[in-house]
Amino acid sequence: MRILIIDQMHESIVPLLEENGHRVDYRPEIDREEILAVIAGYEGLVIRSKTPIDEELLRAAPLLQFVARAGAGLDNIDLAYLEANGIALHHAAEGNRDAVAEHALGMLLALFNQYQQSDQQVRRGIWDREGNRGEELCGKTVGIFGYGNMGSAFAQRLRGFDVEILAYDKFKTGFGDPWVTECSFDTLQEKADVLSIHVPLTPDTRYFFSPEVVAGFRKPFYLINTARGEVIRLDTLNEALENGQLKGAVLDVLEKEKLHALTAAERLSFDALTKRTNVLFSPHVAGWTQESYRKINQVLVAKIAGKWKG
């Protein structure tokens, strides 16, 4: 097949595809207008998140046999159009699930143990042991919201910490094992000391964690979000942190990540979050490691070839 790659990828992607007999045009610099002008000649399209893969673009690609997403999120793709027109969809959540799991756990441990604050203080000559007393993960109940590739990988990383692991997934059952207890969302709300979000962005999950849902948790808890920022509003985070319903948050994703484009109200809300010492940020890099950059390619190429065994 002739395949167009429109986003920056690890350099291994082209030789991996060519080894399977495909002709590849690697054009990470291409813009949307150029894509629309040339896409008619391609059977395959490999993407990250440069532009929406919407009906306009897909209609311009009558030969298209597949769309391959180098990552996990599918919210920028018209899934209904793909299904209606028999266009295959491949994505590579298996390629970065380990990176996401490690990042989520690392951020949580950093928050619990005041790593950021204590590092900065020591650099300034401040030796404050009591002010940096940590909190242990051991003995806590960790809830996982969404038990796909990312959620299950996170659960695996938790096994050595002597925690109770509860997991809820609206679309999956029968996944419990000796380490993970499958449960209802109400049980998560009742028992979780820590809640880690691992769901895609869909109409059901967009702003799912409303003030009312957060208030429904029976005790104050810590929130981890390495999934999609739009599952909870900045204002909801601030409100829950202010009233003590949230004890802290680690956020790899935000409701709006183009910080230069925040409205005045959104800027106020974001600035309020940044002033909180019990909030830790990273710039949507949970799945963004040297290893995952390569593994995503390997997963995608295997899926395109119909040889994925993961």
Side-chain angles (χ1 to χ4, degrees), residues 220-241:
F221 66 101
Y222 292 93
L223 181 72
I224 306 170
N225 190 5
T226 55
R228 282 293 184 265
E230 296 96 324
V231 302
I232 186 167
R233 296 184 186 277
L234 295 176
D235 286 343
T236 303
L237 286 166
N238 273 312
E239 179 183 331
L241 288 160

Side-chain angles (χ1 to χ4, degrees), residues 108 111-112 135 189 192-197 209-211 213-225 231-251 273 276-280:
L108 181 63
L111 184 68
F112 274 14
E135 183 172 356
Q189 288 183 302
D193 299 301
V194 177
L195 182 73
S196 191
I197 300 172
F209 287 93
S210 64
V213 168
V214 174
F217 281 77
R218 313 301 194 270
K219 54 185 175 180
F221 66 101
Y222 292 93
L223 181 72
I224 306 170
N225 190 5
V231 302
I232 186 167
R233 296 184 186 277
L234 295 176
D235 286 343
T236 303
L237 286 166
N238 273 312
E239 179 183 331
L241 288 160
E242 185 67 29
N243 66 27
Q245 185 62 56
L246 278 183
K247 296 177 72 174
V250 292
L251 306 172
L273 271 183
R276 298 183 183 277
T277 59
N278 58 345
V279 176
L280 193 61

Side-chain angles (χ1 to χ4, degrees), residues 253-268:
V253 290
L254 294 174
E255 179 185 358
K256 184 181 285 188
E257 295 178 0
K258 294 181 179 178
L259 300 181
H260 64 277
L262 295 178
T263 65
E266 289 167 342
R267 171 59 64 180
L268 285 173

Side-chain angles (χ1 to χ4, degrees), residues 98-218:
D98 295 324
V100 170
E102 291 186 15
H103 193 94
L105 183 56
M107 288 187 79
L108 181 63
L109 294 175
L111 184 68
F112 274 14
N113 292 283
Q114 313 275 9
Y115 291 161
Q116 185 179 44
Q117 173 180 281
S118 59
D119 174 80
Q120 293 302 311
Q121 287 179 351
V122 173
R123 290 173 188 273
R124 299 197 305 271
I126 300 169
W127 197 262
D128 180 9
R129 297 183 68 212
E130 184 56 38
N132 289 291
R133 187 184 290 273
E135 183 172 356
E136 294 180 15
L137 182 54
C138 177
K140 288 183 169 55
T141 297
V142 180
I144 299 175
F145 183 73
Y147 203 71
N149 282 292
M150 310 305 175
S152 58
F154 182 59
Q156 186 179 43
R157 299 311 185 280
L158 290 168
R159 289 180 183 178
F161 284 87
D162 196 18
V163 295
E164 180 183 13
I165 307 172
L166 303 177
Y168 164 76
D169 194 301
K170 182 178 179 179
F171 301 102
K172 292 179 68 175
T173 58
F175 55 79
D177 60 33
W179 297 278
V180 179
T181 300
E182 181 182 342
C183 72
S184 66
F185 183 66
D186 186 68
T187 300
L188 281 189
Q189 288 183 302
E190 179 184 350
K191 295 186 174 181
D193 299 301
V194 177
L195 182 73
S196 191
I197 300 172
H198 297 283
V199 293
L201 183 64
T202 68
D204 285 340
T205 62
R206 186 181 294 273
Y207 302 126
F208 176 87
F209 287 93
S210 64
E212 294 75 21
V213 168
V214 174
F217 281 77
R218 313 301 194 270

Side-chain angles (χ1 to χ4, degrees), residues 30-77:
I30 195 171
D31 63 25
R32 183 175 176 87
E33 291 306 311
E34 292 174 305
I35 296 168
L36 289 168
V38 302
I39 191 64
Y42 291 93
E43 289 84 28
L45 179 64
V46 180
I47 67 166
R48 284 192 183 275
S49 53
K50 169 176 287 183
T51 189
I53 308 304
D54 53 17
E55 185 171 344
E56 178 192 31
L57 190 147
L58 293 168
R59 281 189 180 279
L63 303 181
L64 200 63
Q65 296 183 31
F66 74 82
V67 173
R69 166 73 163 95
L74 305 176
D75 41 283
N76 65 329
I77 303 171

